[in-house]
Amino acid sequence: MASGLGIALFSSAVFGLSGSFAKALLETGWTPGAAVTARLTGAALILAVPAIPALRGRWHQLKDNWLTILLFGLIGVAACQLFYFNAVSRLSVGVALLLEYLAPVIIVLWLWVASRKRPRPLTIAGTLLSLGGLILVLDLTGAVKIDLIGVLWGIAAAVCLAIYFFITARENDTLPPIVLASSGLMVGAAVMWLAAATGLVPMAFSTADTRLGPWVTPWWVSLGGLVVLATVLAYVSGIVAARALGSKVASFVSLTEVLFAVIWAWLLLGELPGTIQLLGGLLIVGGVVLVRVDELRSSSGTGAAMPAVLDHANDFEPVP
């Protein structure tokens, strides 16, 4: 348990680097589409190394699970990252990630509407707490005006993340996690290259130096960090942590990604949300914790609750 917890915290820490590395590239002229495409392509090629041996003699698994892989790559990888990076280009890294982490609240609201069954009081309290936190994060009455387009991109990323949770919530023992991760990244990369070729997604790269904290580094340092640290190592360590701790415990620990993202953005970009926004962030995370505690109580037999769609949601970590 102790070693699994350490690995889970490491996974959250390196996942939290993605926004800072991406913004360093965006500030030199990279478009969000270019950053996402480079990230997915590089990570897919690296993860293919362990994924191919895992499929030896079982290549039919790709055919049997083609729809899951397609949806995972299209929505959970390509769209989610593109929307998040678009949000990062207009908002601070911390605010953009907090908006994306409204996904569990979106799931609760959707299930409430779809099933017409009222959630348990603890889930309702968590949802209201997160929505209240959202109001504080947006700081509508503050001196610093929040970019509305950036907010919409962040909420769009949250919707994609919610869909991702629905996709991966179904237990699938026939497809190894590393294979789903690699194949999903390949699908996402292919979708981004196709979108770029058709002109749907602007694609611009730059070889200008990037700034990370007090250091001025070549562009490939930020890109390498985005691919190797914030994607490959984050994915692999997330999978190991989920297997060691179980998906539910790992999903709780993954909430620390917000904290790590804010710390990294402060250290590497000089960004720090205002006091009122930090308070709102705590309310959002606290609301999500309440929702997930309610799921744990429900699955342990304390009574009926909302369908536990997040039971297996972190068997495959999302790429924010």
Side-chain angles (χ1 to χ4, degrees):
M1 175 66 75
S3 62
L5 181 60
I7 295 171
L9 288 172
F10 173 79
S11 177
S12 291
V14 288
F15 261 130
L17 279 166
S18 65
S20 296
F21 283 134
K23 191 149 193 174
L25 293 171
L26 297 177
E27 289 179 343
T28 65
W30 285 62
T31 59
V36 171
T37 303
R39 181 189 191 187
L40 298 186
T41 303
L45 293 175
I46 294 174
L47 284 177
V49 175
I52 290 175
L55 277 172
R56 187 168 300 164
R58 298 185 293 177
W59 288 94
H60 63 89
Q61 292 177 345
L62 295 179
K63 180 181 178 181
D64 295 341
N65 297 278
W66 69 270
L67 183 58
T68 297
I69 293 172
L70 178 63
L71 293 176
F72 175 73
L74 178 62
I75 299 175
V77 175
C80 190
Q81 288 187 54
L82 180 61
F83 295 163
Y84 172 64
F85 282 5
N86 272 310
V88 165
S89 69
R90 293 174 172 268
L91 305 170
S92 70
V93 171
V95 170
L97 190 58
L98 286 170
L99 290 173
E100 187 180 14
Y101 261 76
L102 286 170
V105 176
I106 293 175
I107 290 174
V108 170
L109 295 176
W110 168 253
L111 289 175
W112 191 349
V113 172
S115 67
R116 298 182 180 179
K117 181 180 179 181
R118 191 181 69 175
R120 292 165 56 119
L122 196 60
T123 292
I124 294 177
T127 301
L128 293 177
L129 194 65
S130 290
L131 292 176
L134 173 62
I135 295 175
L136 295 183
V137 164
L138 297 182
D139 195 11
L140 299 177
T141 60
V144 178
K145 298 300 181 183
I146 291 288
D147 188 302
L148 177 60
I149 302 299
V151 171
L152 293 177
W153 280 122
I155 293 176
V159 172
C160 287
L161 185 56
I163 296 173
Y164 157 87
F165 281 138
F166 277 114
I167 294 171
T168 59
R170 296 181 178 180
E171 246 185 315
N172 189 334
D173 297 328
T174 66
L175 193 64
I178 195 69
V179 173
L180 179 59
S182 177
S183 56
L185 288 168
M186 288 183 180
V187 169
V191 168
M192 292 303 302
W193 283 113
L194 181 61
T198 57
L200 293 177
V201 176
M203 197 78 69
F205 302 86
S206 173
T207 57
D209 290 342
T210 58
R211 179 173 290 277
L212 294 171
W215 305 284
V216 176
T217 64
W219 62 272
W220 51 264
V221 172
S222 292
L223 180 60
L226 183 62
V227 172
V228 177
L229 294 178
T231 309
V232 174
L233 282 182
Y235 253 115
V236 174
S237 58
I239 292 170
V240 172
R243 288 181 172 179
L245 300 175
S247 58
K248 286 186 176 179
V249 177
S251 70
F252 273 96
V253 180
S254 72
L255 293 174
T256 59
E257 182 189 338
V258 177
L259 172 63
F260 282 117
V262 171
I263 293 174
W264 288 126
W266 175 42
L267 294 176
L268 299 178
L269 302 175
E271 291 183 354
L272 188 64
T275 303
I276 193 72
Q277 291 177 314
L278 289 175
L279 177 59
L282 290 176
L283 292 181
I284 289 176
V285 174
V288 173
V289 167
L290 288 181
V291 171
R292 292 185 172 178
V293 166
D294 203 19
E295 289 175 1
L296 285 173
R297 292 177 57 187
S298 171
S299 63
S300 63
T302 57
M306 299 299 290
V309 296
L310 298 183
D311 279 0
H312 304 282
N314 273 45
D315 289 344
F316 317 105
E317 291 281 355
V319 183

